[in-house]
């Protein structure tokens, strides 16, 4: 499916057009349209690939999807929602929805003891189209609800007024169209070496190469529902990696680590004789099966039988090895006869390469036999459904090659075995799979939070949640027998719903291993020991006990805290304790996606090193559609985010909070006005005594949102303790002197500068990174700042390397205020 219908909003009486388009061999010409799952009559609506509904009535609201079919099969589109409004009903209410931001710690709490302030937001919902709207088959932006007017308010905080801009009115305007990107790195699954200058394909089209360190950036084409990318090693050391990459439809970049499987060393075969190649015999395990090649099976592309020496490389990906899950290709799905995408459960994948021993010319095969040891299938119901599949590199979907049927057999002197046997012809380089369609399916609800408080309004969007389905050994939940499939979903404003295999009879028939990453950073799961806390985990008892929740470090505190494992116990519809999440039946996807935050769900959170951010113009970095064009916006351009950090060294007995205060410096519209505050706690240098370092964000200098004039931000760096400035980086001081005006630095407890416009680098103690994702830009800049280099990355603070300014701090005598405290209590005097 190359064009999917789009969501539309219309007023009763208007008309609407939905479009879809499929490609294939033969070319699909038959299309069927469905409303809420019921097929619409072709004679009544006279549709093809385009469906037009005139004189809309309220009962025509709902979901619409199309199905294209040919003699080769069928494929369904994603559903599109049609909203039909009554005459005079508004699709975008002028009153903003509540949205809370946290005020600085020195601001007084309200009567309820909260320091949160409602700044309002406009939900980015589509607005009703006008009567003259075009057909809706192109890529037009449409109209969406957004901010029409903002108001400035002032909040009394510690003797001064803190400015904040709040949404006063919402209205319809052009929809924001942020760039949607997938970034990441491609490395070898075994050694971690990068895939240098590997080719990247989307469908059959080459779109670029990986970099020297294996890095890549893919811009997701508009209307993409399923992003299938193929990574090819031009030196053919690795099996092609075909990945279905998750992305954030709301814009920004999602980070993905891609692992490639190294090809097995070739063996020599005699083309005149029958040959057998074992599948999965590595690491002392019983083989999963074997590939039997009869004499005369090897063919040249012309069809001529090749009888000489054959070099054969058969690489088997063994799901009994947990480490292979990350290197598996595609998302293990196929399209059934109705065009529905259905998940598969793998028992092993293999890639095959045959070539002539002397010339190196590629060879194909006639009929060969795949034999699978039935003793390796632990779920008896799977024996009847085992099939042989091959992966279509353009769609990322598996296509059926044949059925595996039981047959007797033996292996030499070993005991009698039962094999599942199927036939296959190898005509092109494809990945093959021993799989069963699995219809015991559920959804698992997961949310990610910015901290351990789990406030509903501090959820993170753009987090990649990954779930690997495991088949546990009975009685040994921590030691699974094999993995079966994996899925990745990106969190939206209401979390994520991940498909998983489940069982209603045996809660532990399938378990799931779940992780979360944001821009390459692993988020932490909620602890399961020394005892379970249902309120923290987000799931109430007794269902939590049935799920058997365990964080990775449950038995060994030395293990990481960034994953958890649960039994995917299908909810019992007759048990009220199991009808409120976090596991939902497969037919209840909508209920899972729309579940309120009060419903049961599983959680990850960011481990924040004491950090606080305040923007005068509120902006949620995980939702790029929340950006507002304003002179006081921290980020002036929603398409590109430039993060700036300054490295501060602190010599003193403890760790200190360091604040950056950012105001307009040279632009006539913003001079003297606050952009925002950043507080960061210094991190101890493990190699230096009484020394810590802080990487403090400041607002970069540059064009403001109107792109007409540069503002050099006036930045003040103030440690929150009894501190004296003792050193300034000489190169930075020289640069600031050469680029007037120079900010006054007449108080030794602070450092003030008109921020440089140029990206200076580690020699100056300034770290600047530009990216389409604000969080990723900040993560990279912080990693470089910790390391004290312009291209490195570290999570360990090197406080005396690449520093801009140094403060010496000491413990205060009792009763004496620090400069920072005097600044809060008596700002004029300070």
């Amino acid at each position: 499916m190359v064009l999917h219908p789009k969501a539309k909003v219309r007023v009763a009486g208007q008309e609407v057009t939905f479009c879809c388009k499929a490609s294939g061999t033969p070319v699909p010409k038959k299309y069927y349209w469905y409303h809420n799952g019921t097929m619409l009559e072709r004679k009544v609506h006279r549709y093809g690939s385009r469906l037009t509904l005139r004189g809309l009535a309220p009962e025509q609201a709902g979901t619409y999807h199309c199905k294209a079919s040919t003699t080769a099969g069928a494929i369904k589109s994603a559903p599109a929602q049609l909203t039909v409004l009554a005459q005079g009903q508004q699709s975008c209410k002028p009153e903003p929805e509540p949205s809370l931001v946290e005020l600085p710690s020195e601001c007084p709490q309200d009567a309820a003891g909260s320091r949160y302030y409602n700044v309002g937001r406009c939900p980015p919902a589509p607005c009703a189209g006008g009567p003259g709207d075009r057909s809706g088959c192109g890529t037009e932006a449409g109209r969406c609800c957004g901010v029409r007017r903002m108001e400035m308010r002032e909040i009394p905080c510690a003797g001064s007024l803190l400015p904040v801009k709040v949404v006063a009115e919402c209205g319809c305007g052009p929809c924001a169209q942020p760039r949607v990107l997938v970034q990441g790195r491609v490395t070898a699954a075994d050694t971690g070496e990068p895939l240098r200058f590997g080719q990247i394909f989307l469908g059959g089209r080459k779109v670029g190469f990986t970099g020297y360190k294996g890095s890549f950036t893919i811009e997701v084409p508009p209307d993409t529902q399923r992003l299938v990318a193929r990574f090819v090693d031009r030196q053919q050391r690795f099996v092609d990696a075909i990945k279905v990459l998750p992305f954030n439809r709301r814009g920004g970049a999602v980070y993905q680590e891609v692992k490639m499987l190294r090809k097995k060393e070739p063996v020599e075969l005699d083309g005149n004789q029958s040959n057998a190649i074992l599948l999965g015999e590595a690491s002392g395990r019983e083989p999963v099966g074997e590939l039997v090649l009869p004499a005369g099976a090897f063919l040249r592309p012309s069809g001529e039988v090749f009888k000489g020496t054959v070099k054969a490389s058969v690489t088997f990906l063994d799901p009994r090895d947990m480490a292979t899950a990350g290197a598996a290709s595609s998302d293990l799905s196929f399209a059934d006869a109705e065009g529905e995408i259905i998940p598969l459960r793998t028992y092993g994948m293999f890639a095959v390469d045959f070539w002539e021993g002397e010339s190196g010319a590629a060879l194909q095969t006639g009929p060969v036999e795949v034999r699978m040891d039935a003793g390796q299938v632990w779920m008896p119901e799977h024996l009847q459904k085992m099939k042989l599949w091959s992966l279509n590199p353009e769609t990322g979907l598996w296509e059926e090659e044949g059925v595996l049927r039981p047959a007797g057999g033996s292996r030499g002197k070993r005991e009698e075995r039962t094999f599942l046997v199927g036939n296959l012809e190898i005509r092109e380089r494809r990945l093959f799979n021993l799989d069963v369609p699995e219809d015991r399916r559920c959804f698992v609800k997961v949310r990610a939070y910015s901290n351990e408080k789990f406030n509903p309004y501090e959820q993170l969007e753009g987090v990649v949640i990954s779930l690997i389905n495991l088949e546990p050994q009975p009685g040994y939940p921590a030691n699974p027998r094999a993995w079966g499939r994996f899925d990745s979903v990106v969190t939206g404003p209401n979390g994520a719903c991940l498909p998983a295999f489940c069982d209603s009879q045996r809660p532990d028939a399938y378990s799931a291993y779940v992780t979360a990453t944001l821009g390459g950073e692993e988020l932490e799961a909620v602890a399961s020991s020394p005892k379970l806390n249902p309120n923290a985990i987000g799931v109430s008892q007794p269902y939590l006990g049935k799920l058997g929740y365990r964080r990775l470090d449950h038995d060994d505190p030395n293990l990481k805290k960034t994953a958890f494992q649960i039994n995917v116990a299908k909810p019992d519809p007759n048990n009220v304790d199991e009808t409120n999440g976090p596991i939902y039946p497969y037919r209840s996807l909508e209920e899972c996606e729309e579940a309120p935050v009060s419903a049961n769900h599983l959680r990850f959170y960011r481990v924040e090193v004491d950090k606080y951010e305040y923007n005068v113009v509120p902006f949620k970095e995980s939702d790029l559609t929340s950006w507002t064009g304003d002179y006081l916006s921290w980020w002036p351009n929603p398409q590109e985010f430039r993060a700036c950090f300054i490295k501060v060294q602190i010599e003193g007995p403890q760790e200190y909070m360091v604040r950056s205060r950012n105001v307009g410096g040279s632009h006539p519209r913003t001079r003297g006005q606050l952009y925002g505050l950043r507080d960061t706690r210094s991190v101890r240098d493990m190699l230096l005594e009484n020394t810590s370092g802080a990487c403090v964000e400041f607002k970069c200098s540059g064009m403001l949102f109107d792109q007409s004039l540069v503002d050099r931000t006036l930045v003040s760096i103030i440690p929150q303790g009894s501190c004296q400035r003792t050193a300034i980086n000489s190169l930075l001081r020289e640069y600031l002197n050469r680029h007037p005006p120079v900010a006054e630095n007449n108080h030794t407890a602070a450092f003030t500068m008109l921020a440089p416009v140029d990206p200076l680098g580690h020699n100056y103690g300034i770290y600047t990174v530009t990216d389409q994702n604000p969080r990723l830009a900040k993560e990279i800049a912080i990693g470089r700042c910790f390391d004290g280099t312009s291209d490195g990355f570290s999570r360990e603070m090197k406080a005396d390397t690449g520093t801009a300014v140094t403060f010496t701090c000491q413990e205060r005598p009792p009763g004496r205020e620090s400069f920072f405290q005097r600044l809060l209590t008596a700002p004029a005097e300070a």
Side-chain angles (χ1 to χ4, degrees), residues 413-429:
K413 295 178 184 174
R414 298 187 190 181
E415 73 279 9
E416 284 293 315
R417 299 262 176 124
T418 301
F419 285 95
L420 302 175
V421 179
N423 291 308
L424 175 69
E425 289 189 20
I426 301 168
R427 297 291 184 184
E428 57 181 318
R429 184 189 288 148

Side-chain angles (χ1 to χ4, degrees), residues 761-789:
H762 69 285
N763 289 327
Y764 299 78
I766 304 290
Y767 301 84
T768 308
V769 172
T770 302
D771 196 272
Q772 285 81 9
N773 181 325
R775 287 193 176 279
L776 201 54
K778 286 157 78 160
E779 284 299 320
I780 296 168
I782 289 168
R784 291 177 183 175
C785 178
F786 267 59
D787 197 48
T789 62

Side-chain angles (χ1 to χ4, degrees), residues 53-362:
L53 305 170
R54 295 180 174 86
L56 283 170
E59 59 269 20
Q60 288 176 286
T63 59
Y64 288 81
H65 77 265
C66 82
K67 181 175 87 174
S69 77
T70 70
T71 51
I75 193 76
K76 274 184 182 175
S77 75
Q81 185 73 28
L82 173 64
T83 304
V84 180
L85 304 171
Q87 294 285 346
Q89 186 183 351
Q90 291 178 315
S91 54
C92 177
K93 293 177 180 168
E95 305 81 33
E97 290 183 353
S99 177
L100 303 177
V101 297
E102 187 180 2
L103 298 176
S105 56
E106 62 269 16
C107 294
Q109 298 179 344
D110 62 16
S114 170
R115 251 200 324 269
Y116 286 86
Y117 192 83
N118 182 13
V119 294
R121 71 182 281 272
C122 302
C127 288
D133 265 18
R134 296 189 312 191
S135 67
C137 296
T139 55
E140 68 270 15
R143 287 164 59 75
C144 291
C145 193
V147 176
R148 176 164 283 174
R149 185 168 58 84
M150 296 189 88
E151 286 177 358
M152 181 68 90
R153 305 244 177 100
E154 290 184 322
I155 303 162
C157 278
S160 61
L161 294 173
L162 181 74
V164 61
K165 284 211 163 182
V166 300
V167 178
E169 186 186 353
C170 302
C172 288
C175 295
Q177 287 195 298
R179 292 172 73 196
V180 180
L181 301 166
V182 176
Q183 298 176 325
R185 215 162 60 101
V186 188
T187 55
D190 53 356
T191 62
E193 70 174 285
L195 175 69
R196 294 194 169 112
F197 313 119
Q199 296 171 312
I200 306 172
F201 293 84
L202 291 187
R205 186 170 57 93
K206 185 159 70 176
V207 295
F209 297 89
T210 59
Y212 182 75
K213 293 186 176 180
S215 57
F216 67 89
T217 298
I218 297 171
E219 183 146 5
V220 181
D223 201 47
T224 300
Q225 292 289 329
R226 202 163 172 273
L227 181 66
V228 180
R230 179 161 56 108
F231 299 90
V232 178
D233 175 23
R234 293 191 290 178
Q235 297 173 32
Q236 287 303 307
R237 297 162 302 159
F238 302 105
V239 177
D240 292 0
I242 295 153
K243 295 288 184 181
V244 180
L245 298 171
F247 59 93
N248 189 355
R249 286 184 173 79
R250 293 158 74 88
V254 165
Y255 187 86
Q256 269 306 95
E257 287 278 356
V258 175
K259 302 293 181 189
M260 290 190 85
L261 200 61
R262 192 179 298 278
K263 287 184 178 179
K264 199 164 181 188
E265 285 297 315
V267 294
E268 289 194 350
L269 306 176
D270 184 344
N272 285 311
Q273 295 184 357
S274 176
N275 296 280
I277 298 173
L278 295 176
L279 303 173
E281 81 287 2
S283 30
R285 293 188 179 94
E286 282 288 330
V288 170
E290 59 190 2
L291 188 62
V292 180
L293 304 139
F298 295 105
L299 307 173
R300 287 184 165 136
S302 62
E304 174 196 350
V305 175
F306 178 75
K307 295 184 176 178
T309 300
V310 175
K311 287 207 167 178
S313 169
V314 177
T315 308
F316 186 75
L317 185 135
D318 194 337
R320 295 173 301 178
D321 178 359
M322 299 307 299
T324 61
S329 270
S330 112
D331 60 354
L332 287 164
S333 301
F334 76 102
D336 69 3
E338 288 299 306
E340 195 92 53
I341 305 275
I342 305 288
L344 291 166
R345 190 269 195 229
T346 187
Y347 279 89
M349 306 177 191
F350 58 98
V352 184
D353 279 293
F354 299 124
W355 62 95
E356 295 180 23
E358 289 183 10
S359 69

Side-chain angles (χ1 to χ4, degrees), residues 472-616:
Q473 296 191 42
Y476 299 95
N479 188 16
R481 188 181 282 136
W483 61 266
R485 74 173 274 111
F486 51 86
D487 283 277
S488 294
V489 176
V490 176
T491 57
N494 199 33
C497 293
L498 288 104
F501 296 147
C502 59
D503 194 280
S504 55
Q505 306 302 316
R506 288 194 301 128
D508 61 349
Y510 276 118
S511 63
Y513 178 89
V514 188
T515 59
T517 58
L518 179 64
E521 171 200 358
E522 292 180 301
L523 272 60
E524 199 158 295
V526 182
S528 58
S529 59
K531 70 174 191 175
L532 288 173
N533 179 349
N535 291 332
I537 292 167
V539 181
S540 56
Q541 291 285 23
Y543 199 18
L544 179 60
K546 190 173 176 181
L547 299 181
Y549 178 93
R550 297 161 66 91
R551 194 166 72 175
L552 196 57
D553 65 344
H554 185 85
D555 294 319
D556 182 354
N558 294 319
L559 292 176
K560 287 187 83 191
K561 303 173 181 178
T562 52
F564 66 78
Q565 197 169 317
I566 56 165
N567 299 324
V568 193
K570 189 173 183 179
D572 178 355
N574 301 315
N575 184 340
V576 70
D577 293 321
E578 299 181 12
T579 56
N580 193 31
I583 315 291
Y584 292 84
Y586 196 72
R587 296 290 168 205
S588 303
L589 173 60
E590 196 173 330
E591 188 188 338
C592 177
E593 289 183 331
E594 295 177 3
V597 75
S598 57
N600 286 336
H601 60 273
L602 296 154
R603 293 169 171 170
F604 286 93
Y605 62 94
R606 255 190 125 175
V607 181
E608 290 284 7
V609 195
D610 285 333
K611 198 186 280 184
Y612 171 75
E613 299 180 358
Y614 174 77
N615 299 323
V616 169

